[in-house]
Amino acid sequence: MKSLSWLITGLFLYGIALAMLVQGSLGLAPWNTLTSGLVEITGISFGMMTNLIGLVVLLLWIPLRQRPGVGTVLNVLLVGTSAEIGLWLLPQPSGLVAQVALFTGGLLLLAAATGIYIAPGLGPGPRDGLMTGLHERTGAPVWLCRAGVEITVLAVGWLLGGMVGIGTVAEALLIGPMVHRTLPFFRTVYAGRSAAAAVAAETRASA
């Protein structure tokens, strides 16, 4: 029950963070750029399109022989849904300062939410699983698979009129180091005090 509550909380907050980034209007990460581009040409809402893309990506796991976990399935169902709620609740800011503030808050929340939903270990998101699946099937390095997929979806999203800007660059540069901090923190919090004590003891021993 604890694992599921952490997973759902993290995925819900992830969707809210996406809504903050969209409303900040400074640019989006590759997959969200693709989503916003498809929204432009189809008229489907951002949240619904997020879920649909997640479902399509999940189907691509079949030839890659990847097995989804409960976290993978809930990712497809919840992230776009909570993003839609966030877009409904959050007004678009007026003025650059307000845009930067909303975008920055969204980026911080995105990093925290990633740590929260990954901590229970209930399965990767569909996009991450696609990259690891490509790595396992092709033998190419994970970074190359990730770069190839993300450059492709960014290019397609941009051609479709998706949201590309300084925020795209900022998210690409910052989200990795931020998650590098939040993931071990929330894994320790999830595991409880005993794990935290073990980490502290290991740190003292290696000092």
Side-chain angles (χ1 to χ4, degrees):
M1 189 64 186
K2 176 185 174 182
S3 299
L4 199 57
S5 63
W6 269 67
L7 175 65
I8 292 172
T9 299
L11 292 175
F12 180 81
L13 292 176
Y14 194 98
I16 297 298
L18 286 186
M20 294 171 70
L21 296 174
V22 171
Q23 295 296 66
S25 302
L26 294 177
L28 298 170
W31 283 103
N32 299 319
T33 298
L34 175 63
T35 302
S36 63
L38 289 170
V39 167
E40 288 293 319
I41 65 171
T42 64
I44 297 173
S45 69
F46 184 89
M48 177 62 74
M49 184 59 72
T50 298
N51 287 347
L52 289 174
I53 290 175
L55 179 59
V56 171
V57 173
L58 187 56
L59 292 175
L60 294 176
W61 282 33
I62 297 172
L64 296 175
R65 298 177 186 173
Q66 293 287 94
R67 291 186 177 181
V70 64
T72 312
V73 176
L74 287 179
N75 188 300
V76 172
L77 296 175
L78 294 182
V79 170
T81 305
S82 58
E84 199 65 33
I85 294 171
L87 290 170
W88 179 68
L89 291 174
L90 293 168
Q92 252 189 335
S94 57
L96 183 59
V97 173
Q99 284 180 270
V100 171
L102 187 61
F103 181 88
T104 302
L107 201 57
L108 290 170
L109 182 59
L110 191 72
T114 301
I116 293 169
Y117 92 76
I118 289 178
L122 294 178
R127 296 155 186 82
D128 291 331
L130 173 64
M131 294 166 196
T132 56
L134 287 170
H135 159 68
E136 291 170 6
R137 294 292 289 169
T138 66
V142 173
W143 70 265
L144 183 60
C145 295
R146 185 183 186 96
V149 169
E150 294 203 344
I151 289 170
T152 300
V153 298
L154 178 62
V156 172
W158 177 69
L159 290 172
L160 294 175
M163 195 182 299
V164 178
I166 187 64
T168 306
V169 178
E171 191 172 347
L173 293 176
L174 296 176
I175 195 62
M178 291 168 72
V179 171
H180 182 70
R181 298 276 185 174
T182 61
L183 185 52
F185 172 77
F186 283 110
R187 275 178 171 160
T188 301
V189 173
Y190 174 79
R193 292 182 179 178
S194 59
V199 170
E202 184 179 342
T203 302
R204 287 194 298 271
S206 61

